[in-house]
Amino acid sequence: MEETGENIGKKSFGKKIVENLSGIFLPVINLITAASIIKSVLILLVSFGVMTRENGIYRIFYAVSDGFFYFMPFFLAATASKQWKTDMFISMMIPVAMLYPDLVVILENGPAFPFLGINVPQAIYHSSVIPVLLAVGLLKFVEMPCDRLLPDVIKGFVKPIICMCIVLTFTFLLFGPLGTWIGSGLTKLFFILYDWNSVVAGAFMGLLIQPMVAIGAHWAIVPIALNNIATQGFDVIMPLLAGAVYGQAGASFAVAQKCKKSTEKGKIDRQIAIQSGFTACLGVTEPALYSINLPRVWPMVWGCVAGAFGGALAGISGNHCISFAFPSILTCVAFVGPGFVLFMLSMLLSFVLGFVLTL
């Protein structure tokens, strides 16, 4: 009986995590999907020469679609505040500091500046997820003693001051740089593996890139890829990521297949899973990650495993991109060259594996 009780406790804890993630992301999932579709359509129109990036329609609608992801910490601060019952306005002050223009320039480009005698580490906060969630989670525990101990006459203005002093200190010195540290470490490990064996390196990146996206650590790769293209005329990292994208797409479509059409919740989940899988096929995996695969855990795992196989195949191909692009069917022109056929097959292989393994 004790063992059964422990198992029930473990299941309850896991269910609680899933419910928290769902409570945070579900309120904005339709916005994530809408922004993804708008962004994908614009990329498609530019790819086929229907319009240019200088076109006014492109500029305005790209601003709202890309801008949503850029300012995602604001949306997550609001939904996390509602989920964890913190003061929403104090919660919103966290991304205000994270995305303040002057700080963004310094934190992304340097040089470092001192704060409480410590140099603030460089970090990328736009489009990030984990830093703001950790910060709002900490805020929950900072607010409790403030609500209990502060006199009502001064609580209104003293509480935000105390909360910001504590939460922002942890955010800029620990929570924010965490993704950058993880991303930089994994990127260095990737190049060690790539120098040894490109197939192993491809499997490594295919397995881990989507978890990196989930915590915002993938931004560490972008400047390296851009620098490779600027100095060498090509980059070998981006082709290895294609399988991971389509592994998550396949997993999302598998979840749609498994949803019970007989219930209202099943119908809604199926619709979201299909939409998320579609946008992932267009190269934007955030809807599939946050609304479908990550909360259910195993679809995320099998999508990553499928991505590892796709990354290994891309590693065999020796393919590279000649201009910077996140890999997808829409941007495949950037990958035309040696190994292009195997590159395309890596996406197909990962999609099928992600679908079958999850199913």
Side-chain angles (χ1 to χ4, degrees):
M1 290 295 292
E2 289 180 4
E3 186 175 342
T4 304
E6 287 179 22
N7 291 334
I8 291 172
K10 289 178 182 177
K11 289 180 182 178
S12 299
F13 180 72
K15 186 177 180 181
K16 191 172 182 181
I17 293 175
V18 170
E19 288 175 351
N20 270 274
L21 286 172
S22 298
I24 292 168
F25 287 106
L26 280 179
V28 295
I29 193 58
N30 286 330
L31 291 176
I32 293 175
T33 305
S36 302
I37 292 174
I38 293 172
K39 192 174 183 180
S40 300
V41 170
L42 291 173
I43 293 172
L44 188 64
L45 292 174
V46 170
S47 299
F48 283 97
V50 177
M51 67 172 59
T52 66
R53 288 183 174 85
E54 288 71 36
N55 185 287
I57 295 175
Y58 178 91
R59 287 180 183 274
I60 289 175
F61 284 98
Y62 192 84
V64 73
S65 58
D66 192 58
F68 171 81
F69 290 106
Y70 187 95
F71 292 108
M72 187 181 286
F74 281 100
F75 294 90
L76 295 182
T79 57
S81 172
K82 185 177 180 180
Q83 180 69 20
W84 295 330
K85 296 178 173 56
T86 62
D87 186 300
M88 182 173 291
F89 293 104
I90 297 177
S91 300
M92 297 290 282
M93 289 296 290
I94 299 167
V96 164
M98 290 166 58
L99 297 176
Y100 186 70
D102 285 353
L103 275 184
V104 168
V105 172
I106 297 172
L107 290 171
E108 293 188 8
N109 304 295
F113 62 93
F115 175 65
L116 299 178
I118 304 171
N119 282 339
V120 177
Q122 287 191 328
I124 295 176
Y125 290 97
H126 68 78
S127 307
S128 63
V129 173
I130 296 300
V132 71
L133 295 185
L134 291 175
V136 176
L138 175 61
L139 177 64
K140 169 76 173 178
F141 295 98
V142 177
E143 279 192 13
M144 288 191 290
C146 289
D147 289 332
R148 190 171 63 252
L149 300 175
L150 289 175
D152 290 339
V153 69
I154 62 170
K155 184 188 298 183
F157 63 90
V158 173
K159 175 183 167 182
I161 295 173
I162 295 174
C163 289
M164 286 302 98
C165 286
I166 296 173
V167 173
L168 290 182
T169 298
F170 278 89
T171 299
F172 284 100
L173 295 182
L174 180 60
F175 299 156
L178 192 61
T180 302
W181 293 333
I182 294 172
S184 298
L186 291 176
T187 302
K188 290 176 182 176
L189 181 56
F190 160 77
F191 281 109
I192 294 173
L193 291 174
Y194 193 85
D195 290 338
W196 174 60
N197 189 303
S198 63
V199 178
V200 175
F204 175 80
M205 289 306 294
L207 179 69
L208 294 179
I209 187 61
Q210 289 304 314
M212 290 172 68
V213 170
I215 65 173
H218 66 299
W219 292 110
I221 296 173
V222 173
I224 296 172
L226 288 170
N227 183 67
N228 289 342
I229 293 170
T231 58
Q232 303 175 22
F234 65 89
D235 173 67
V236 297
I237 303 176
M238 303 311 290
L240 306 178
L241 312 183
V245 173
Y246 284 85
Q248 296 300 322
S252 187
F253 279 117
V255 172
Q257 184 70 22
K258 297 288 286 185
C259 287
K260 295 179 180 178
K261 303 175 187 177
S262 58
T263 65
E264 188 64 29
K265 184 179 185 303
K267 290 178 182 178
I268 294 172
D269 287 347
R270 185 171 186 273
Q271 181 182 0
I272 293 173
I274 291 173
Q275 292 173 347
S276 301
F278 173 72
T279 54
C281 287
L282 299 179
V284 183
T285 57
E286 282 86 350
L289 285 180
Y290 300 140
S291 64
I292 299 297
N293 298 347
L294 188 57
R296 289 168 172 80
V297 181
W298 281 110
M300 177 73 175
V301 171
W302 293 125
C304 291
V305 171
F309 280 95
L313 184 58
I316 293 172
S317 75
N319 182 249
H320 53 251
C321 61
I322 54 176
S323 62
F324 181 80
F326 287 106
S328 75
I329 197 68
L330 296 181
T331 59
C332 61
V333 65
F335 300 85
V336 173
F340 180 69
V341 173
L342 283 182
F343 165 75
M344 297 297 289
L345 286 175
S346 74
M347 294 192 286
L348 178 61
L349 172 66
S350 293
F351 181 88
V352 172
L353 280 177
F355 182 85
V356 171
L357 291 172
T358 303
L359 199 61

